[in-house]
Amino acid sequence: MRKLLVSAIAIATLALAGAAFAQSAPTKTGDSTKGKVLTDAQGMTLYTFDKDAGGKSACNGPCATNWPPLMAAADAKPAASYTIVVRDDGGKQWAYKGKPLYTWKNDKKPGDITGDGFLNNTWHIAQP
């Protein structure tokens, strides 16, 4: 009986420790004129790109200069509806429901959504 109790305590301790170190969502939720949007830590609107497919980013080079990817730390772990995609340069990028996330260089303040519909409607605000 004592071994069972010790085992139960050990399992409970590990579960609590795991919960304390659980990965939190890499985005926040903000407001825009089109409703709720996903934002980065600074409150800037996040976007998705229609040309991204198969869990891979199609926005590299000059595209990534204009649409900076929401990068994930090397040791980041997926959380809830978030996954991580590996970019062409080997960096890690956050994706929401399988779609890589980006900011837009022309958005100047939280709530801006100037990239929505850009490039023949291939860029869209990411909404929760």
Side-chain angles (χ1 to χ4, degrees), residues 1 20 22 33 38 47 55 59 67 75 84 86 108 120 122 124:
M1 184 64 140
T33 57
L38 294 179
Y47 297 87
C59 183
W67 297 91
D75 63 347
I84 298 170
V86 178
K108 301 301 181 198
N120 296 315
T122 58
H124 309 281

Side-chain angles (χ1 to χ4, degrees), residues 1-108:
M1 184 64 140
R2 182 172 179 194
K3 283 185 182 181
L4 182 60
L5 181 60
V6 170
S7 294
I9 291 170
I11 290 169
T13 301
L14 289 173
L16 288 173
F21 292 103
Q23 182 76 33
S24 61
T27 66
K28 296 181 178 185
T29 302
D31 294 311
S32 77
T33 57
K34 292 188 178 180
K36 297 289 183 189
V37 295
L38 294 179
T39 71
D40 67 6
Q42 290 74 41
M44 301 304 291
T45 301
L46 293 168
Y47 297 87
T48 60
F49 186 38
D50 285 347
K51 294 185 180 184
D52 290 343
K56 184 161 174 42
S57 171
C59 183
N60 295 287
C63 177
T65 300
N66 292 323
W67 297 91
L70 181 63
M71 299 302 289
D75 63 347
K77 304 283 187 251
S81 296
Y82 295 89
T83 55
I84 298 170
V85 298
V86 178
R87 298 183 50 75
D88 285 355
D89 64 6
K92 292 182 174 184
Q93 179 179 1
W94 285 109
Y96 179 68
K97 296 184 178 177
K99 296 180 179 186
L101 296 169
Y102 308 84
T103 56
W104 169 229
K105 73 172 189 169
N106 290 337
D107 283 351
K108 301 301 181 198

